Amino acid sequence: MKIRLFFFVALTAFCANAQESGKPEKINFYGGFESNSQWYLNDKGLNVVHPETPLRANSYLFANLKYKNWIAGIQGESYEDQALLNFNPRYDKSDVATYFLQFKNDKIDLTAGYFYEQFGSGLLYRSWEDRALGINNSLRGGRVIFKPNSYFTLKSIYGRQRTGFDISKGEIYGVDTEIVLSNLLQMKTSELSLGLTYVGREEIVESIPNPNFNSLTNGYAARIDFSHNGFYFSTEYNIKSKDAIIEVREQIENNFIKPGNALLMNLGYSKKGFGIDGSFRRLENMGFFSERIAKGNAFNDRILNFIPSLTKQHHYNLANIYVYQSQPNVFLGDETLLKTGEIGGQVDFFYNIKKNSLLGGKYGAKLAINMSNWNALGGTFYLPKKDYATDYFAFGKKYFSDYNIEFTKKWNAKWQSVFSYINQYYNKKLIEETYGLVQTNILGAEGTYKFTDSKSIRVVGEHMWADSDKKNWAASTVEFNLNSKLSFFTSDMYNYGNDDPEARNHYYNLGGAFRQKSTRIALSYGRQRGGLVCVGGVCRFVPESSGVSLSLNTTF
């Protein structure tokens, strides 16, 4: 409460000083409001009973003031009467969530309060907000960014991480430096930069009187980025010092202490009409949280680093039923369930087929191919004693693969179509630590017809053949854009191949959206398929539900 009172006093003084200065610079005020609400309903077909509090909403109001080099901001959040289903229970009721005061000019950037930051690729540290996933892991503390010239940048951070409306027990320290050698050496046709990172997490575990691990966990990283004409290459290597393993949620293993490391490489080439990109990543024991016991929580709460799944982000509904989640953690269950991390990568290829060719026709066409494959780490595992020794480039049991091809063809000035084939391998036992193995083949086709520049219709059809689990699915979507302000949609996913006739459900949805300048309102009714909802390779599990949803988003 004292911190909030201090912030409001500082903000008032800031505004008063700006008004009394008499200078022509004006105060800029801007912000926004977002609310996502749902009225959950009973659904006999899904055997779903609405929660005790059926009407729920997640709402966010933020405002910023800017005067000269000063920026002050505040965000309030409300989860009334409760948050949407399966959101972090630490998001409760209404309160001030974040606030900050920032001074920024060409050389220095000073921030006090809550802030977001990323070092390198984020494998050691990234803080960000994603409201759809319920993630806000900003730090409350201070940040300094010093950039005296065009080739050197130094960042330093200190704080405690946000968790709900509170902050974590662990203290976070960090320093990141980057030198742009291409600017320093005045290279004309190439770009070259080097970076070094340190992140420390200090947490005293009172529940273990004589820990076999240090309270301070250190992370170090080095990276290089290079590009020349259409060619580019980057790599980053991370080390995490020895720390206690947590296999079972909130249970710290005082006699199972291991270090972690990560290697990320990206290589590619692109020019007009052609591109190829390859990524490789190896993770070993790279889960990193501001509190050790947060490891394994279902809400990405108190997570310090950013480890998205490096696979294609599909826009087809059926292709997102068996979606891969990165596997950075250690779990030694039994001889059939041994995980210490992941190794694998993906390759993207695209090619624009020339106009007036056999496949291109009058308007040309586009071909995109994506391949990804992920395995457990290979090595030697010692059971029942908890220990292991990995072979650095050895591949263990297969987690997941996704091979897909997409062909986009424009037939005339108004009509365009897309055809896709997707083949997936999903090891449920290893990924979800449950049981089963699923292999799928998916066909997708969509067509878009433009009546005018602002009026169009889009139709999508999908089919999945799956050899186990819930078996075959069919899906369809129709979207109609009446004009630049008003649109409607209807969709359905039908699990017609389920071995249990009682579980052959339709997951239908219909709704519309209205946009006026910076305001958007969307209303829909339908069913939510239980499973993972993913944004940018990071996922959140949602239960099956049925109801009416309303979304409002505006900026000012």
Side-chain angles (χ1 to χ4, degrees):
M1 182 61 70
K2 291 182 180 179
I3 294 177
R4 294 173 191 156
L5 181 61
F6 170 79
F7 176 78
F8 284 119
V9 171
L11 182 59
T12 302
F14 163 78
C15 294
N17 178 70
Q19 292 173 348
E20 293 174 0
S21 66
K23 294 184 179 181
E25 289 89 348
K26 65 178 182 178
I27 299 175
N28 292 318
F29 175 72
Y30 57 96
F33 175 74
E34 178 179 337
S35 181
N36 301 298
S37 58
Q38 185 156 352
W39 178 22
Y40 295 98
L41 302 172
N42 293 330
D43 192 323
K44 293 182 179 179
L46 295 181
N47 294 317
V48 168
V49 178
H50 70 66
E52 184 177 343
T53 305
L55 183 59
R56 304 183 175 203
N58 297 359
S59 302
Y60 312 84
L61 175 64
F62 64 96
N64 297 301
L65 284 173
K66 185 178 187 301
Y67 176 72
K68 293 185 177 179
N69 298 110
W70 292 89
I71 303 174
I74 189 168
Q75 178 167 298
E77 298 177 10
S78 175
Y79 304 91
E80 300 285 0
D81 288 334
Q82 294 184 32
L84 299 178
L85 284 180
N86 211 50
F87 263 74
N88 190 340
R90 292 174 182 244
Y91 292 124
D92 186 38
K93 304 305 179 182
S94 303
D95 208 339
V96 173
T98 62
Y99 44 84
F100 71 93
L101 185 63
Q102 181 182 24
F103 174 83
K104 183 178 182 179
N105 60 26
D106 293 338
K107 294 186 177 182
I108 196 164
D109 182 341
L110 306 174
T111 304
Y114 287 86
F115 60 88
Y116 306 95
E117 187 55 75
Q118 176 170 325
F119 293 165
S121 69
L123 283 173
L124 271 184
Y125 176 72
R126 184 196 186 198
S127 55
W128 80 103
E129 180 183 36
D130 193 301
R131 295 168 184 171
L133 298 177
I135 295 176
N136 189 318
N137 61 349
S138 55
L139 285 192
R140 192 181 80 182
R143 178 187 64 180
V144 177
I145 302 176
F146 179 54
K147 189 174 182 178
N149 47 52
S150 64
Y151 55 84
F152 180 78
T153 302
L154 173 67
K155 300 178 181 179
S156 62
I157 61 172
Y158 167 78
R160 296 193 176 189
Q161 195 174 41
R162 179 185 173 186
T163 172
F165 287 116
D166 204 349
I167 55 173
S168 66
K169 296 178 182 178
E171 296 180 89
I172 309 304
Y173 314 84
V175 177
D176 183 83
T177 61
E178 184 170 86
I179 301 176
V180 184
L181 292 176
S182 52
N183 290 346
L184 176 64
L185 303 176
Q186 298 183 351
M187 301 167 66
K188 301 297 184 181
T189 60
S190 301
E191 293 185 5
L192 176 63
S193 64
L194 305 175
L196 295 172
T197 295
Y198 167 77
V199 177
R201 187 268 321 273
E202 176 82 29
E203 184 201 14
I204 298 174
V205 181
E206 297 177 353
S207 61
I208 301 179
N210 297 301
N212 294 325
F213 53 90
N214 296 325
S215 61
L216 177 63
T217 306
N218 298 303
Y220 307 92
R223 64 185 183 271
I224 181 171
D225 292 271
F226 173 76
S227 64
H228 177 73
N229 295 331
F231 171 81
Y232 55 89
F233 169 77
S234 65
T235 186
E236 179 176 319
Y237 185 68
N238 299 257
I239 299 174
K240 182 162 69 80
S241 65
K242 288 183 178 181
D243 196 20
I245 298 294
I246 296 179
E247 292 186 289
V248 179
R249 186 181 174 188
E250 299 190 356
Q251 181 176 321
I252 298 175
E253 301 284 351
N254 193 33
N255 295 313
F256 193 8
I257 315 298
K258 284 288 186 179
N261 61 81
L263 173 64
L264 174 66
M265 301 177 67
N266 180 245
L267 177 69
Y269 176 79
S270 66
K271 64 177 184 179
K272 186 177 180 181
F274 170 80
I276 186 168
D277 179 273
S279 296
F280 170 84
R281 186 173 71 190
R282 183 191 186 276
L283 305 174
E284 180 178 338
N285 186 28
M286 277 302 291
F288 204 13
F289 295 81
S290 57
E291 293 180 8
R292 291 174 175 87
I293 62 172
K295 184 178 177 181
N297 78 87
F299 311 106
N300 292 298
D301 185 36
R302 289 162 284 174
I303 189 169
L304 281 174
N305 51 352
F306 178 62
I307 307 180
S309 58
L310 296 183
T311 61
K312 184 176 177 65
Q313 308 300 303
H314 291 288
H315 63 275
Y316 289 106
N317 290 323
L318 300 185
N320 285 296
I321 292 179
Y322 300 107
V323 58
Y324 182 64
Q325 309 154 71
S326 60
Q327 303 291 311
N329 300 318
V330 174
F331 185 78
L332 305 184
D334 54 47
E335 292 293 343
T336 65
L337 185 52
L338 302 171
K339 301 196 297 183
T340 58
E342 69 175 20
I343 184 169
Q346 71 168 335
V347 176
D348 272 303
F349 169 86
F350 76 86
Y351 178 68
N352 289 347
I353 301 172
K354 295 180 179 180
K355 298 178 181 180
N356 300 316
S357 63
L358 180 62
L359 290 177
K362 180 179 179 181
Y363 294 90
K366 297 180 180 180
L367 179 67
I369 299 173
N370 172 273
M371 298 174 288
S372 61
N373 192 97
W374 294 95
N375 288 62
L377 299 180
T380 305
F381 303 90
Y382 306 96
L383 297 175
K385 178 185 177 181
K386 295 289 187 178
D387 199 8
Y388 63 88
T390 60
D391 298 325
Y392 200 84
F393 288 111
F395 284 67
K397 290 185 177 180
K398 186 176 178 180
Y399 287 134
F400 177 85
S401 65
D402 185 328
Y403 306 108
N404 56 82
I405 183 169
E406 184 175 277
F407 179 73
T408 303
K409 171 69 175 175
K410 185 175 182 180
W411 302 97
N412 54 47
K414 295 185 175 183
W415 178 258
Q416 177 176 289
S417 59
V418 181
F419 303 96
S420 300
Y421 168 72
I422 304 162
N423 175 276
Q424 293 176 324
Y425 174 102
Y426 186 85
N427 193 327
K428 287 191 68 176
K429 181 176 179 64
L430 285 178
I431 296 173
E432 301 178 9
E433 296 166 15
T434 54
Y435 63 90
L437 172 66
V438 187
Q439 298 185 71
T440 71
N441 289 280
I442 303 169
L443 287 179
E446 60 182 277
T448 302
Y449 184 82
K450 297 180 66 174
F451 300 97
T452 65
D453 288 341
S454 60
K455 181 186 292 187
S456 64
I457 186 170
R458 176 174 174 262
V459 180
V460 182
E462 310 169 46
H463 189 275
M464 172 195 284
W465 292 267
D467 64 354
S468 61
D469 197 32
K470 296 182 179 181
K471 299 292 184 66
N472 295 356
W473 291 73
S476 64
T477 302
V478 178
E479 298 175 354
F480 180 62
N481 296 303
L482 184 62
N483 49 47
S484 60
K485 297 181 179 181
L486 190 60
S487 62
F488 303 94
F489 80 93
T490 179
S491 67
D492 185 29
M493 299 172 59
Y494 181 33
N495 186 203
Y496 76 92
N498 201 308
D499 288 338
D500 181 3
E502 298 297 322
R504 294 172 183 170
N505 295 313
H506 285 271
Y507 295 89
Y508 50 79
N509 280 275
L510 57 94
F514 175 77
R515 182 186 296 274
Q516 177 66 37
K517 294 183 179 179
S518 61
T519 299
R520 183 180 183 274
I521 302 174
L523 179 67
S524 63
Y525 165 75
R527 291 172 163 177
Q528 170 67 56
R529 177 189 63 82
L532 294 173
V533 172
C534 303
V535 179
V538 180
C539 302
R540 175 177 74 91
F541 177 81
V542 295
E544 290 200 338
S545 62
S546 183
V548 179
S549 299
L550 176 66
S551 176
L552 170 63
N553 197 317
T554 187
T555 57
F556 50 82

